[in-house]
Amino acid sequence: MKDSTFLDLGSGAVVRRDAGAMTLNGTVNKTGLLLVITLVGAMYTWGLFFSSNGTANMTPYMLGGAVGGLVLALITVFKKTWSPVTAPLYAALEGVFLGAISAMVEQRFPGIVLQAVGLTFGTLAALLLAYRSGLIRATENFKLGVFAATGGIALLYLVNFAMSFFGTSIPFIHESGWLGIAFSAFVVVIAALNLVLDFDFIESGVEQGAPKYMEWYAAFGLLVTLIWLYLEILRLLMKLQSRD
């Protein structure tokens, strides 16, 4: 949380705090609301898939949710003041995407979605407890390490996406061998450690009296991390179950 946090990246102007200050309770409430919106969106596509006995085409929902969510995420990053509107919309679209992909995975591996959800929120609770107790602190070296690892993973995924247009990919990312499992486990760890950065961002925002809309922005950031963590845990569980 630096001075640049209060700059509108679109215009470069300093955003004033006319609407009050960010609070912890407000951020928690808005995070809970975004999770509920995500759940409602997920329940819609999940129900649609299973009500059709697994015959419904989920591709439009997955593409629409993923692309629409990405666009709204970028808008939110560059226009933080719009987050009270864009964050709920992002949650709804990501919910549609998650429900579709989760339903398809559940059909192939019964029970896997409940495991992934449980592990995701269990990880959230454990890291929150560790952060609040002081066992884990977001030091500058810690932040640098997590940022570097996250950037490396993002670059690897981007290269893999580009390679897919040529009918190939980086093998170990998708394979269920021990190298693929180790890679997924590493990504899960990095995704989980990003939660600590989210906790630190929220704490710093509250302490510095960030503008009220930053509650939505902080809740949005936490939701992005949770969605990433859930998807990586789901990927890891799929690889493990594929070996059975």
Side-chain angles (χ1 to χ4, degrees), residues 124-242:
L124 172 66
L127 283 176
L128 180 58
L129 179 62
Y131 180 80
R132 295 298 295 171
S133 65
L135 291 177
I136 297 179
R137 303 304 301 172
T139 63
E140 290 305 314
N141 287 336
F142 178 89
K143 293 178 183 178
L144 181 61
V146 174
F147 282 144
T150 303
I153 293 168
L155 180 60
L156 192 64
Y157 280 166
L158 183 61
V159 170
N160 185 73
F161 177 72
M163 290 174 63
S164 67
F165 289 102
F166 301 95
T168 184
S169 64
I170 301 175
F172 65 88
I173 287 183
H174 303 293
E175 291 179 352
S176 58
W178 287 115
L179 183 58
I181 290 174
F183 171 76
S184 286
F186 172 75
V187 177
V188 166
V189 170
I190 298 302
L193 292 179
N194 270 270
L195 290 172
V196 178
L197 302 188
D198 292 325
F199 300 153
D200 180 71
F201 182 84
I202 293 170
E203 185 177 51
S204 298
V206 172
E207 289 177 352
Q208 296 186 30
K212 193 69 174 176
Y213 70 85
M214 290 298 289
E215 293 177 352
W216 284 105
Y217 186 74
F220 157 78
L222 185 56
L223 180 64
V224 169
T225 304
L226 284 173
I227 290 173
W228 180 33
L229 178 61
Y230 166 76
L231 290 173
E232 294 299 344
I233 289 176
L234 193 63
R235 186 197 301 269
L236 176 59
L237 291 176
M238 288 173 61
K239 290 181 178 180
L240 289 171
Q241 293 198 21
S242 294

